[in-house]
Amino acid sequence: MALYSEKVMDHFRNPRNVGVIEDADGVGEVGNAKCGDIMKIYLKIDDDIITDVKFETFGCGSAIASSSMATELIKGKPVAEAMELTNKAVAEALDGLPDYKMHCSVLAEEAIKNALDDYYAKKSQNNN
Ligand code: FES
């Protein structure tokens, strides 16, 4: 059996939504201290809908595939729904990751949550 699913290979070789959003409404960055991999997520949000999302990942193939899939899963979705995204859902959408690579999908969940926290923090500042 192949170690990685076709979907993982596809998103690793041809990642979706790579890049930066200059005027992002929320930015989140997380790292994994053990492997040293870093993921950064940029969100553009209008009326609580994620209208655009980009990522930069300095990391392993599974982290790149997870960020790519995670951005696809939250694009066009309400922020509340994106907040519920779990690393398990990302891994499932990729048709699975090897057990010892599950932590790579956790980076995607955490980076998105950080970016959403940043969005909420900026929003409450603007309302004051
Ligand atoms: Fe570090 Fe995959 S090995 S995120």
Side-chain angles (χ1 to χ4, degrees):
M1 196 198 106
L3 193 50
Y4 293 108
S5 71
E6 297 261 329
K7 272 197 190 158
V8 172
M9 293 311 292
D10 176 34
H11 279 262
F12 166 60
R13 290 205 184 101
N14 180 21
R16 327 301 197 258
N17 309 309
V18 175
V20 174
I21 300 176
E22 295 294 349
D23 57 344
D25 299 301
V27 180
E29 185 173 349
V30 290
N32 181 306
K34 270 198 192 141
C35 61
D37 292 349
I38 298 168
M39 191 182 294
K40 198 163 178 182
I41 297 262
Y42 302 83
L43 301 173
K44 192 79 201 143
I45 297 170
D46 287 310
D47 276 337
D48 280 347
I49 301 287
I50 298 171
T51 54
D52 199 11
V53 46
K54 295 261 191 268
F55 80 89
E56 293 177 302
T57 293
F58 184 82
C60 74
S62 300
I64 290 167
S66 295
S67 350
S68 170
M69 181 54 87
T71 57
E72 287 286 275
L73 289 173
I74 64 167
K75 207 175 193 176
K77 297 279 162 60
V79 285
E81 214 174 296
M83 208 67 188
E84 303 284 306
L85 183 73
T86 62
N87 78 295
K88 259 190 87 187
V90 174
E92 269 164 28
L94 287 168
D95 291 337
L97 283 171
D99 278 352
Y100 72 100
K101 283 284 170 184
M102 278 307 278
H103 75 271
C104 315
S105 62
V106 172
L107 273 189
E109 175 187 330
E110 288 180 344
I112 288 172
K113 293 216 162 104
N114 270 12
L116 288 168
D117 285 347
D118 183 47
Y119 164 68
Y120 285 122
K122 282 185 179 136
K123 205 170 126 168
S124 66
Q125 266 173 15
N126 291 341
N127 289 343
N128 287 336

